[in-house]
Amino acid sequence: MNRSMKLATLLATASFGVLAAASAWSAESLQDVMKRRGLNEKDVLAAAKTYTPTGKRDEFLVFSSGGQSGQVLVYGIPSMRILKYIGVFTPEPWQGYGYDDESKRILDEGSSIDGRKVLFGDTHHPALSETDGDYDGQYLFINDKNFPRVAVIDLRDFETKQIVKNPILKSEHGGTFVSPNTDYIIEAAQYPAPLEDDFVPLEQFNEKYRGAVTYWRFNREKGRIEPENSFSIELPPYSQDLSDFGKGPSDGWSFTNSFCSERYVGGIERGRPPFEAGCSAKDTDFLHVVNWKKAEELFKAGKGKKINGHVVIDLATSVKEGVLFLIPEPKSPHGVDVTPDGKLITVSGKLDSHTTVYSFDKIMAQVKAGKFSGKDEYGVPIIDMASVVHKQVELGLGPLHTQYDAKPCVAYTSLYVDSMLAKWDYCEGKVLDKISIHYNIGHLMAMEGDTVHPKGKYVVALNKLAIDRFNPVGPLHPQNHQLIDASNDKMQLLYDMPLPLGEPHYAVAISADKLKPHIRYPHGTDSRTEEKHPASVRAGSERIERKPGKVEVFGSVIRSHITPEIIEVTEGDEVTVHLTNLERAQDETHGFAVSKHNVNLSLEPGKTASATFKANKAGVYPYYCTEFCSALHLEMEGYLLVQPANYKAAETAKAKEGVAYTQKDYDGRVKANVDTQKVIDSVVGYITSVNYKDFPPVVALVEDATDQLNFAKGAKEKSEDFAKKADWQNAMLWAEQWFQYQVKAADIGLRAKTYLEQHGAKKVQ
Ligand code: CUK
Ligand code: CUA
């Protein structure tokens, strides 16, 4: 069978495959399958609620913390299918994150501290950007508890664009949460420490150790945090915890919990009881209530002082200017969550069976009247708890976090100790339903459940333990995210999803239709700056530039070759390879790896990325594309030749080729190409005979196929020129390249044809 015949056979089987699959489907009934797999009706109902047929998409996308991995996970609801890991605080090889020069600039800077590299990230709370309190699908933020820092991810390409290190905190937890228009991103301290970097003995804990909340200014047009326009407020040395911004009537205020307001400093080895005893002795801790709009005014008026180059408003100023108030909250509190209407604030105490709902109106009444029950040791006014409580509701043991439902007054709260999730009415203060989860739920996530317009429908329990839920894989168990149907009065457990990454504390879910990511980058984009890459090239302008000790390659990749294919350098040279992916086709990513040099790029269509390395050892190093991008992917290869310093080319004569071609070879190749063209023409004929322009994915495929056919034309002309000169070697090789472009065009054409057939394309006249 010659090659064009193979293509014709492919064309025929492409439509036949659909029929074959349909007949296999009817062999077993639903009852048969239920019996075979031991499923009951409830299981099948749960399956029907989550199963997402092949080719169908999810209604919501989840951004989950990847815990110690320092990454963010993206998965769909209701299918629970994982779609992506986003490299944030740690290198991610597949995406080239932390390998290409462009992302290294972000990650190296963002993970360097005092001359050390921090190679993990204890990520906790992702936050989506908001407009008027609703998710807008533009940006994602996430914090690192261990090395206090915050990252910005652009949801046009799901890539990390910026990491800002907190200049005054030594650990943090209450971040990231955004103000209703994403003007600020909050990051609150966890374990108190001196705000300066000096050593201070623990004996001076009360005097010199401090907490703080940082308000990072976000510039939405630039898509970046502006450290110079950001500030912090100093807080007493209580262990600050989760935070939330007010909204609606409470806009302009923020709320931060604390535990260990006992200011206990532990010391088992000194014969003292451990932290856990000393930090939970009191019945209440403090909710910090912050007038951040006022704090912003003070910052702008220059009322702060600089610590490590960052402006901090000290406690005395906050007290004097009415920025900071405290309210007692029971007991070892954890989550603080403002209701969608911004009127109420829910706080759960881990060691209290109640969840407390505070009224923002009542808090403001006390503040305006100047009615305080006292002051703490740092002079911060304390508001009497009873005077501002709206309701206290007994939900169960170990309440932690609260999210809101689409129905007014309905909330969901996680119960860590009980391993349950409670659905309750925070207006009336009564429990509506409870469901067991497996096991020890930490955070929970309702769809857009921390916005002003929650979407209801589903809740996900982010469990701390999985114990026996999955096949055992050793003592370190997977994490367990459990999907719960929340669309009816009674909640129903639908699905257990194991996550093989660090502890994902929190996740946020957004309606999928709010996300509009790029299909491809504009030609030659540096994805990290989101600007035209100065080293990008167009087809034909690839080149190698040499300076003493330096070699710079301006290359390209496109199915199925890397330009250049030979890079010659001298031992000791510093080599930079910039590669631009010239593809316009969806999903045609190429990779680039060089033997033994830790060079690894991911080049999505339109992207330009660079790798700089030292060619420190003479030798022969193949390089190649790491993504199976086409039938001739394995041939997408080249050689880095590192010559010894004193090397002189001994053999200047033309290298002998493996095979010598004749006119007969050339004529045979051309005849096959002409036949192939007929097959392509028939596919093109089909596509243009139907309403393909009504199908945007097909329009993109047609554009791509047109590119390939134009390349084929170029190669054809070259082969004919050489044939005229009777240079059969070059004529034959260019005719072969002409055929390679035809194969790519045919492959794309087939994809388009199959799509049209499956999507009911109609004949046009
Ligand atoms: S946290 Cu609450 S259960 Cu938000 Cu870090 Cu883990
Ligand atoms: Cu490009 Cu494989």
Side-chain angles (χ1 to χ4, degrees):
M1 199 182 329
N2 70 28
R3 281 190 250 201
S4 55
M5 292 245 326
K6 276 188 211 157
L7 275 175
T9 318
L10 259 176
L11 275 173
T13 47
S15 44
F16 181 71
V18 178
L19 293 174
S23 56
W25 171 241
S26 54
E28 239 180 337
S29 75
L30 179 59
Q31 276 69 31
D32 291 339
V33 176
M34 286 171 69
K35 201 168 154 212
R36 176 159 64 80
R37 296 204 61 217
L39 304 176
N40 62 31
E41 200 174 319
K42 228 175 132 202
D43 298 330
V44 175
L45 193 63
K49 287 179 179 182
T50 59
Y51 176 65
T52 303
T54 173
K56 293 269 172 4
R57 295 181 184 180
D58 281 300
E59 187 180 355
F60 296 97
L61 282 199
V62 176
F63 295 89
S64 170
S65 156
Q68 294 91 325
S69 80
Q71 302 173 345
V72 165
L73 290 132
V74 186
Y75 64 83
I77 283 185
S79 77
M80 306 300 271
R81 296 179 300 191
I82 294 177
L83 302 173
K84 194 161 209 171
Y85 292 173
I86 305 172
V88 183
F89 296 121
T90 50
E92 205 295 316
W94 176 46
Q95 298 158 19
Y97 182 66
Y99 297 85
D100 60 66
D101 294 351
E102 293 74 13
S103 61
K104 265 188 190 167
R105 255 168 236 139
I106 295 168
L107 184 60
D108 282 0
E109 216 288 303
S111 58
S112 301
I113 174 94
D114 302 340
R116 280 185 298 274
K117 270 252 164 292
V118 178
L119 292 173
F120 78 108
D122 189 13
T123 62
H124 274 245
H125 306 107
L128 285 158
S129 59
E130 296 179 8
T131 300
D132 297 331
D134 272 318
Y135 295 158
D136 52 37
Q138 293 183 354
Y139 295 96
L140 181 78
F141 312 97
I142 192 160
N143 69 319
D144 176 4
K145 168 167 169 165
N146 170 67
F147 175 5
R149 49 186 172 162
V150 165
V152 179
I153 296 155
D154 191 327
L155 295 178
R156 281 177 298 186
D157 60 358
F158 289 48
E159 280 197 350
T160 301
K161 307 296 178 181
Q162 185 185 23
I163 298 173
V164 288
K165 300 184 274 194
N166 195 300
I168 57 166
L169 302 183
K170 310 300 178 278
S171 76
E172 58 97 312
H173 187 246
T176 53
F177 301 93
V178 302
S179 60
N181 279 304
T182 323
D183 307 311
Y184 286 97
I185 301 150
I186 213 170
E187 189 186 23
Q190 182 110 82
Y191 308 115
L195 299 183
E196 298 80 7
D197 288 342
D198 310 332
F199 167 76
V200 178
L202 267 174
E203 285 69 22
Q204 295 177 30
F205 187 90
N206 291 343
E207 299 76 35
K208 297 277 182 66
Y209 284 47
R210 288 292 178 267
V213 188
T214 301
Y215 295 84
W216 289 111
R217 175 82 199 181
F218 185 63
N219 180 324
R220 192 188 288 260
E221 283 67 46
K222 291 197 191 127
R224 299 291 184 273
I225 288 170
E226 297 177 331
E228 67 281 11
N229 292 322
S230 306
F231 63 93
S232 297
I233 65 164
E234 180 190 21
L235 296 179
Y238 312 137
S239 291
Q240 278 81 31
D241 202 32
L242 279 178
S243 305
D244 203 0
F245 271 101
K247 52 186 102 173
S250 54
D251 188 16
W253 293 76
S254 68
F255 310 93
T256 296
N257 274 338
S258 64
F259 60 90
C260 205
S261 59
E262 293 86 350
R263 293 175 291 157
Y264 187 67
V265 293
I268 295 175
E269 56 298 303
R270 297 177 185 177
R272 286 159 58 83
F275 270 106
E276 59 174 314
C279 281
S280 60
K282 281 200 327 177
D283 281 340
T284 55
D285 290 284
F286 287 122
L287 174 66
H288 301 70
V289 178
V290 180
N291 185 343
W292 67 262
K293 278 261 163 79
K294 181 83 198 169
E296 182 191 38
E297 278 171 29
L298 298 175
F299 163 61
K300 287 182 175 164
K303 295 271 173 71
K305 57 175 186 189
K306 283 214 169 175
I307 301 179
N308 294 339
H310 172 81
V311 174
V312 180
I313 294 163
D314 66 19
L315 270 166
T317 307
S318 286
V319 169
K320 183 162 150 258
E321 302 282 347
V323 166
L324 178 63
F325 306 91
L326 299 171
I327 309 175
E329 49 179 9
K331 173 182 183 176
S332 295
H334 191 43
V336 51
D337 298 282
V338 177
T339 55
D341 63 10
K343 290 181 181 168
L344 302 170
I345 302 134
T346 305
V347 172
S348 294
K350 300 187 293 279
L351 301 182
D352 192 79
S353 57
H354 294 86
T355 289
T356 307
V357 185
Y358 295 85
S359 156
F360 182 72
D361 274 354
K362 290 182 179 174
I363 296 171
M364 282 304 101
Q366 298 300 106
V367 167
K368 287 211 182 90
K371 271 174 75 182
F372 304 111
S373 62
K375 286 177 178 178
D376 78 348
E377 233 176 80
Y378 303 89
V380 185
I382 301 171
I383 299 170
D384 170 55
M385 181 175 165
S387 67
V388 294
V389 167
H390 163 72
K391 289 270 186 252
Q392 271 202 314
V393 192
E394 183 148 14
L395 294 180
L397 297 181
L400 294 185
H401 297 286
T402 297
Q403 291 254 297
Y404 300 97
D405 191 73
K407 292 190 202 84
C409 298
V410 176
Y412 302 92
T413 296
S414 52
L415 304 172
Y416 176 85
V417 177
D418 271 345
S419 279
M420 292 187 100
L421 197 153
K423 178 179 181 178
W424 57 291
D425 181 323
Y426 57 83
C427 300
E428 299 297 321
K430 60 175 192 238
V431 176
L432 302 172
D433 188 28
K434 280 194 184 186
I435 188 170
S436 290
I437 62 84
H438 316 87
Y439 302 91
N440 298 90
I441 179 172
H443 272 274
L444 76 174
M445 167 191 62
M447 304 303 99
E448 304 196 2
D450 59 6
T451 69
V452 296
H453 295 108
K455 296 285 180 286
K457 295 191 179 186
Y458 303 99
V459 176
V460 173
L462 283 73
N463 303 329
K464 298 299 186 193
L465 303 178
I467 306 184
D468 54 4
R469 299 303 279 191
F470 305 112
N471 296 59
V473 289
L476 182 63
H477 291 223
Q479 305 286 330
N480 186 12
H481 283 199
Q482 286 187 303
L483 179 68
I484 291 154
D485 179 4
S487 48
N488 303 302
D489 288 344
K490 294 279 313 159
M491 294 181 280
Q492 186 197 353
L493 183 58
L494 298 178
Y495 194 76
D496 290 6
M497 179 175 69
L499 280 183
L501 275 183
E503 184 183 329
H505 288 261
Y506 185 45
V508 283
I510 181 173
S511 295
D513 58 15
K514 287 187 181 172
L515 296 166
K516 304 265 184 292
H518 292 320
I519 300 284
R520 65 183 76 78
Y521 290 105
H523 167 266
T525 301
D526 174 342
S527 67
R528 304 295 162 174
T529 61
E530 302 173 294
E531 282 162 14
K532 184 89 172 174
H533 198 299
S536 64
V537 295
R538 298 235 167 235
S541 66
E542 297 90 349
R543 65 197 184 277
I544 298 179
E545 292 178 4
R546 294 170 196 278
K547 291 190 195 111
K550 278 199 167 59
V551 177
E552 197 166 4
V553 179
F554 301 82
S556 71
V557 290
I558 191 163
R559 276 159 293 167
S560 306
H561 50 269
I562 301 163
T563 309
E565 295 194 327
I566 299 160
I567 302 173
E568 288 172 296
V569 306
T570 303
E571 189 175 18
D573 279 349
E574 185 189 88
V575 183
T576 299
V577 180
H578 310 281
L579 290 174
T580 299
N581 183 341
L582 299 175
E583 305 278 358
R584 291 193 299 170
Q586 183 161 348
D587 203 15
E588 277 299 341
T589 295
H590 299 287
F592 179 73
V594 181
S595 164
K596 298 189 178 179
H597 283 76
N598 198 34
V599 169
N600 170 47
L601 303 179
S602 172
L603 300 154
E604 298 94 72
K607 192 188 227 181
T608 300
S610 317
T612 299
F613 58 95
K614 194 104 180 147
N616 57 343
K617 190 165 179 287
V620 173
Y621 304 99
Y623 55 82
Y624 63 99
C625 168
T626 51
E627 290 273 330
F628 208 110
C629 51
S630 58
L632 292 175
H633 149 77
L634 297 176
E635 290 77 357
M636 199 161 171
E637 56 170 330
Y639 282 99
L640 170 71
L641 302 171
V642 182
Q643 299 162 346
N646 51 3
Y647 177 74
K648 290 238 168 20
E651 178 69 64
T652 49
K654 238 186 164 187
K656 241 180 121 195
E657 309 222 358
V659 183
Y661 297 105
T662 61
Q663 181 174 8
K664 189 161 166 271
D665 294 324
Y666 172 74
D667 290 342
R669 183 67 265 161
V670 170
K671 187 178 173 306
N673 290 3
V674 170
D675 290 345
T676 303
Q677 193 57 44
K678 286 182 195 146
V679 178
I680 292 170
D681 290 345
S682 79
V683 178
V684 172
Y686 167 78
I687 292 170
T688 51
S689 75
V690 300
N691 58 335
Y692 80 94
K693 286 183 183 157
D694 297 339
F695 301 90
V698 174
V699 173
L701 287 170
V702 167
E703 271 178 27
D704 185 27
T706 308
D707 282 351
Q708 297 295 336
L709 287 174
N710 283 334
F711 295 141
K713 205 169 142 236
K716 177 171 182 272
E717 281 161 10
K718 282 194 180 124
S719 79
E720 287 165 352
D721 286 349
F722 281 111
K724 271 185 216 143
K725 292 182 250 170
D727 179 344
W728 304 116
Q729 193 69 12
N730 279 307
M732 166 64 191
L733 288 167
W734 279 111
E736 181 63 30
Q737 185 58 32
W738 162 18
F739 175 69
Q740 291 309 330
Y741 286 126
Q742 286 183 312
V743 171
K744 284 161 201 131
D747 173 63
I748 300 158
L750 277 172
R751 261 199 267 172
K753 181 173 181 271
T754 308
Y755 186 98
L756 290 166
E757 285 166 351
Q758 287 176 356
H759 290 79
K762 293 198 184 62
K763 287 266 170 218
V764 290
Q765 293 317 313

